[in-house]
Amino acid sequence: MIAIASRRFAQDKGPYNVGDECDLCLEGFLLFLDPPKAGIKDALTGLKHRGIGIKVISGDNRYIVKHLADTIGLRTKNVLTGGELASMSSDALFARASKTDLFVEIDPNQKELIIKALRRSGHVVGYMGDGINDAPALHEADVGISVDGAVDVAREAADLVLLRQDLNVLIRGVDDGRRTFANTMKYISIATSANFGNMISMAVASLFLPFLPLLAKQILLNNLLADIPSMAIATDRVDREQVQRPRRWDIRGIQRFMIFFGPVSSLFDFVTFGFLLFIVNVTTSQFRTAWFVESLITQLVTMLIVRTIIAAWKDRPGPLLLWSTAFITLVALLLPNFPPVAGIFDFTPLPIPLLGGLIAISAIYAATLELVKRFYFRRG
């Protein structure tokens, strides 16, 4: 708001000076209105529901910023001014930054200090700005975000440039990023646990069997076929809980997952060994073929069950993952009966009773894995 006033002087009035700015007549006010964008309140609520805290850092007057924040539904309880910040040490700012809702009357260098303090507190910080003064903070943030209409310096300093000035784009970006991260963690966890289980099974079997449990070319083929549906995990559906809250890279969590689920797979490998050697009394070639089939099917079963924290039958996999898994399962069952390929990999056709036994073991494994999964995620 700017007040406009006037005063009339004679035409022969000499130079004007500050002393002439008196006895003015108020003509009126100029009001500059920059209302919040439509839907901004809903967008900020959506970010909040996803575990993202919103803080305002502005060089504007504290009362203007507080009024705007109240209008769009942001917290305004804790306010820190640039003057107060200037007298603080870095440790004091570190203690205050996470608790502060509005940073007001802030200069450009202080914006950068605030971002550093928030990052030091353990937060992953995204900063959104479009002016020259925002460039240092954009560069310091974990993710600098600007808009297409921003000044060149801000766009160059930003990691992401929004082509539309719409915070709903950020919400979609957050959701897509979390889905990608969740599916990446699925792949790593499933692959490490399956390989750990196979390593245990192979090592133990090699101690007691007078022959190699699987030939090198059979192991490579097994890994190749298992990787085909594994790549489809990138398109899989993700549990709603994994999108609603931020998650971090957790190598210890992967280790726990591997150690917890890997031995379950090995246990059923040993059950398979006992079935093949003591009940069916198979030949060496039949043993390798049967374990190849059982090992591949259990890896696929693990993928479908462990991919979600809820009951596997209640959460349908993505179409590509579902159909690629079904296809590879069919390949595993039919491959030993396809002479050209079976001969190359030293496979032999399996009798129907033997094949039925392997399917039964795999079904029991699936039920056991579902129970183990519920215990693991409830415990975790």
Side-chain angles (χ1 to χ4, degrees), residues 8-16:
R8 294 183 179 275
F9 292 92
Q11 288 186 347
D12 57 352
K13 173 76 169 74
Y16 296 100

Side-chain angles (χ1 to χ4, degrees), residues 228-263:
I228 292 175
S230 294
M231 290 187 292
I233 290 178
T235 65
D236 189 25
R237 295 185 177 91
V238 174
D239 295 331
R240 188 171 181 272
E241 294 80 4
Q242 294 179 307
V243 177
Q244 290 300 307
R245 286 289 176 267
R247 301 176 65 201
R248 292 176 180 265
W249 172 258
D250 183 11
I251 188 64
R252 292 187 180 277
I254 295 173
Q255 291 173 345
R256 288 195 304 270
F257 191 98
M258 176 184 72
I259 294 171
F260 202 88
F261 287 97

Side-chain angles (χ1 to χ4, degrees), residues 49-372:
H49 287 166
R50 286 162 175 78
I52 299 174
I54 307 294
K55 299 180 183 295
V56 177
I57 305 176
S58 175
D60 290 337
N61 178 279
R62 69 191 73 181
Y63 302 108
I64 295 175
V65 176
K66 188 175 186 303
H67 172 73
L68 175 62
D70 285 332
T71 302
I72 59 179
L74 293 179
R75 282 173 51 91
T76 60
K77 182 178 179 180
N78 299 309
V79 180
L80 182 65
T81 66
E84 294 171 327
L85 195 155
S87 62
M88 284 184 175
S89 65
S90 59
D91 289 337
L93 178 58
F94 164 73
R96 286 281 301 275
S98 296
K99 303 174 184 177
T100 301
D101 304 312
L102 306 179
F103 298 88
V104 298
E105 301 168 15
I106 300 295
D107 66 43
N109 291 330
Q110 290 176 331
K111 292 181 179 181
E112 184 180 10
L113 293 176
I114 294 168
I115 301 302
K116 286 182 177 179
L118 290 170
R119 293 186 65 195
R120 182 183 167 192
S121 301
H123 298 287
V124 176
V125 182
Y127 181 85
M128 188 172 184
D130 60 1
I132 295 175
N133 294 339
D134 294 309
L138 286 167
H139 186 269
E140 176 63 28
D142 292 290
V143 181
I145 306 168
S146 193
V147 293
D148 191 39
V151 298
D152 292 343
V153 174
R155 289 203 309 270
E156 291 296 327
D159 300 294
L160 301 174
V161 177
L162 305 184
L163 299 182
R164 288 190 299 166
Q165 296 188 27
D166 182 1
L167 285 185
N168 288 304
V169 175
L170 284 183
I171 293 177
R172 290 195 293 273
V174 168
D175 289 348
D176 289 344
R178 290 181 180 178
R179 289 189 190 99
T180 300
F181 182 81
N183 283 333
T184 301
M185 293 297 290
K186 280 184 198 176
Y187 174 81
I188 295 173
S189 300
I190 292 171
T192 53
S193 62
N195 289 335
F196 181 62
N198 288 338
M199 179 189 70
I200 295 174
S201 302
M202 183 70 73
V204 173
S206 299
L207 294 175
F208 297 99
L209 295 178
F211 54 86
L212 288 175
L214 283 178
L215 300 176
K217 56 187 176 181
Q218 293 171 339
I219 295 173
L220 292 174
L221 179 62
N222 186 296
N223 289 335
L224 175 63
L225 293 176
D227 281 343
I228 292 175
S230 294
M231 290 187 292
I233 290 178
T235 65
D236 189 25
R237 295 185 177 91
V238 174
D239 295 331
R240 188 171 181 272
E241 294 80 4
Q242 294 179 307
V243 177
Q244 290 300 307
R245 286 289 176 267
R247 301 176 65 201
R248 292 176 180 265
W249 172 258
D250 183 11
I251 188 64
R252 292 187 180 277
I254 295 173
Q255 291 173 345
R256 288 195 304 270
F257 191 98
M258 176 184 72
I259 294 171
F260 202 88
F261 287 97
V264 177
S265 172
S266 298
L267 175 63
F268 277 84
D269 283 337
F270 300 147
V271 171
T272 303
F273 296 162
F275 169 73
L276 295 175
L277 294 174
F278 302 116
I279 297 179
V280 184
N281 195 23
V282 295
T283 64
T284 299
S285 180
Q286 285 178 327
F287 181 95
R288 289 169 175 163
T289 304
W291 192 33
F292 175 90
V293 172
E294 188 268 347
S295 174
L296 185 53
I297 290 177
T298 54
Q299 287 185 68
L300 300 177
V301 167
T302 301
M303 194 179 309
L304 292 179
I305 292 178
V306 180
R307 53 169 288 276
T308 176
I309 63 175
I310 64 177
W313 60 86
K314 293 182 180 179
D315 187 12
R316 184 180 177 186
L320 186 57
L321 176 60
L322 180 62
W323 290 110
S324 61
T325 301
F327 173 74
I328 296 302
T329 302
L330 188 63
V331 169
L333 295 174
L334 297 181
L335 194 60
N337 300 293
F338 190 63
V341 179
I344 295 174
F345 290 96
D346 293 334
F347 291 139
T348 186
L350 299 177
I352 296 299
L354 173 56
L355 201 57
L358 295 178
I359 294 174
I361 293 173
S362 299
I364 297 172
Y365 169 74
T368 303
L369 191 64
E370 180 66 36
L371 294 175
V372 171

